[in-house]
Amino acid sequence: MDQTPVDTSLPETAYCVSEMPSPALSSEEAVERIEPDETGPGKRCRILTIDGGGLRGIIPAMILAEIEDRTGKPASALFDLIAGTSTGGLIALALAKPAPMTATEIVQFYQHDGPSIFRPRLLKSVQRLFRSAYSPRGLEAALLSTFDDDRLSETKPPVVVTSYELQNRIPWFFKTIWSHRPGYDFLLRDIARATSAAPTYFPPARIPIQGSNQLSEGLFIDGGVYANNPGVCGFVEASDLIGLGGLPRTVVSLGTSLSAEPGPTRALGWGIAHWLNPRQQEPLLNAMFDGMSKTVEHQLKDLCNPVTTRHRCFRFDPPPVNVSVAVDDPLLRPALEAMTRSYLADPDVDKQLNEMVPLLA
């Protein structure tokens, strides 16, 4: 038997956040830019960003369906760039694949495939401490059915999807704009598996990375560990498309209603068993995701201050009204759908949507 060790180091052609500032674009990559002759007076760079949140991805999918209804266009035609993390990365890829899905079809994906993706293992409590809660088989089957052999280079509009490579400890961006480089044209189903490999829920994703002279393997987990809200990632990525000055930007940022947090009094006596207790939806992870998301929301408001910039940012994130913050419970779907419908019927939300639509259509 061959005992040659597997080389898990990343090849020189692996492009990730550690390379910043990014290299100059090739002539092929420059095609992805928004060209000046396409950007007359009144044109804007339209950016969609979608948070992580497991089965709660049905929330941004329903909001997108409302936007599609109001504009009369599919979401894939409304944006120049889509950024996503975890379940938001899956939605981004579904919108941008060669045969793009409508938002309504994505809602149906969560309704139909959610229970098979989050089918619990038959584990005892102590076993749950040492294994992921879910087998990846249901998720991988759903991703194969959805994306088949579609690749990153085929996505339109361009995408940026977050993940984290464990072995080299690298925040990793899967970008359309880099897909023409050697070894970077990943299968969309592999990208979706990588960005949604949430620690404790699914095992990491093993993805081959083709270098110039070697085949190595990356071990990827959910991009939510550093960018559960990819809003600023999308805003900054637009600079590769339009330059640092460029067009004014319209950012549509969609959340998954994860803003619930434990009361401080109840948490005073907590230890590891409480903060990481899966029966309490792992409060430490929820607090981290919520904190990151709110920080990015604040940063986007500053970046898109209408008094000092030409940029506009619209954040849609329903407050969790009497609904568990669980990201993996298919039985919550009716409650999440009802909550989102109620949110969309709110007069303030309706006003915000009416202000946004002319900037997209």
Side-chain angles (χ1 to χ4, degrees):
M1 181 180 294
D2 185 3
Q3 298 295 321
T4 304
V6 176
D7 181 6
T8 58
S9 63
L10 299 182
E12 292 180 359
T13 50
Y15 301 100
C16 52
V17 72
S18 63
E19 280 196 295
M20 297 301 187
S22 60
L25 298 177
S26 70
S27 58
E28 285 181 301
E29 291 164 334
V31 173
E32 301 293 346
R33 285 184 180 272
I34 300 175
E35 298 295 340
D37 61 355
E38 297 177 356
T39 55
K43 296 291 185 179
R44 305 178 69 87
C45 179
R46 305 160 301 173
I47 305 163
L48 173 64
T49 75
I50 312 168
D51 293 12
L55 285 177
R56 306 175 79 86
I58 198 169
I59 296 170
M62 290 179 66
I63 296 172
L64 279 172
E66 176 69 18
I67 294 172
E68 288 184 339
D69 286 344
R70 291 181 181 231
T71 60
K73 296 180 180 179
S76 58
L78 293 172
F79 297 97
D80 303 301
L81 173 71
I82 306 178
T85 290
S86 191
T87 198
L90 193 157
I91 295 173
L93 296 171
L95 292 172
K97 71 191 188 89
M101 295 173 68
T102 66
T104 298
E105 289 171 332
I106 296 172
V107 170
Q108 293 167 350
F109 170 86
Y110 284 100
Q111 293 170 336
H112 179 267
D113 290 287
S116 60
I117 291 173
F118 288 96
R119 178 175 292 135
R121 300 181 193 263
L122 297 177
L123 298 177
K124 296 180 180 179
S125 296
V126 68
Q127 292 175 311
R128 176 70 172 83
L129 296 174
F130 301 100
R131 297 187 67 184
S132 60
Y134 302 99
S135 164
R137 293 176 184 171
L139 173 60
E140 290 169 358
L143 296 179
L144 176 61
S145 175
T146 301
F147 297 110
D148 194 27
D149 290 329
D150 295 338
R151 290 192 173 268
L152 185 57
S153 61
E154 300 175 286
T155 52
K156 186 177 181 179
V159 300
V160 53
V161 176
T162 66
S163 187
Y164 186 87
E165 205 287 313
L166 277 177
Q167 294 168 120
N168 293 272
R169 297 192 177 185
I170 297 172
W172 190 286
F173 293 138
F174 293 97
K175 301 183 180 186
T176 305
I177 204 168
W178 286 345
S179 62
H180 299 287
R181 295 176 175 178
Y184 205 84
D185 195 13
F186 294 95
L187 289 165
L188 297 190
R189 65 174 185 263
D190 284 346
I191 299 174
R193 175 70 176 85
T195 192
S196 57
T200 77
Y201 291 94
F202 293 105
R206 292 180 177 272
I207 298 178
I209 303 172
Q210 180 68 56
S212 54
N213 298 310
Q214 62 180 344
L215 178 66
S216 60
E217 186 179 73
L219 195 61
F220 293 90
I221 60 172
D222 194 321
V225 297
Y226 68 93
N228 200 55
N229 178 340
V232 170
C233 297
F235 188 93
V236 173
E237 179 67 10
S239 297
D240 274 348
L241 296 172
I242 61 177
L244 289 175
L247 300 172
R249 300 169 204 183
T250 296
V251 182
V252 179
S253 174
L254 305 182
T256 55
S257 188
L258 279 176
S259 58
E261 48 194 323
T265 303
R266 188 160 61 93
L268 283 175
W270 282 7
I272 293 175
H274 294 91
W275 283 107
L276 296 177
N277 186 348
R279 292 183 178 179
Q280 296 182 19
Q281 305 307 319
E282 297 173 297
L284 177 60
L285 294 181
N286 280 334
M288 291 170 61
F289 292 157
D290 183 42
M292 284 188 285
S293 182
K294 284 187 169 66
T295 299
V296 171
E297 186 176 348
H298 171 75
Q299 292 168 334
L300 277 178
K301 285 181 179 178
D302 279 354
L303 288 169
C304 300
N305 187 328
V307 177
T308 58
T309 76
R310 298 180 299 159
H311 309 311
R312 294 294 306 276
C313 178
F314 298 89
R315 174 69 172 172
F316 299 97
D317 189 24
V321 181
N322 299 321
V323 178
S324 165
V325 295
V327 300
D328 60 339
D329 186 355
L331 297 179
L332 282 178
R333 180 180 57 77
L336 294 175
E337 292 179 5
M339 181 185 73
T340 306
R341 284 192 293 269
S342 177
Y343 173 76
L344 290 170
D346 182 276
D348 290 336
V349 175
D350 179 69
K351 180 181 178 181
Q352 192 176 16
L353 286 166
N354 286 335
E355 291 175 0
M356 178 196 69
V357 163
L359 299 176
L360 299 180

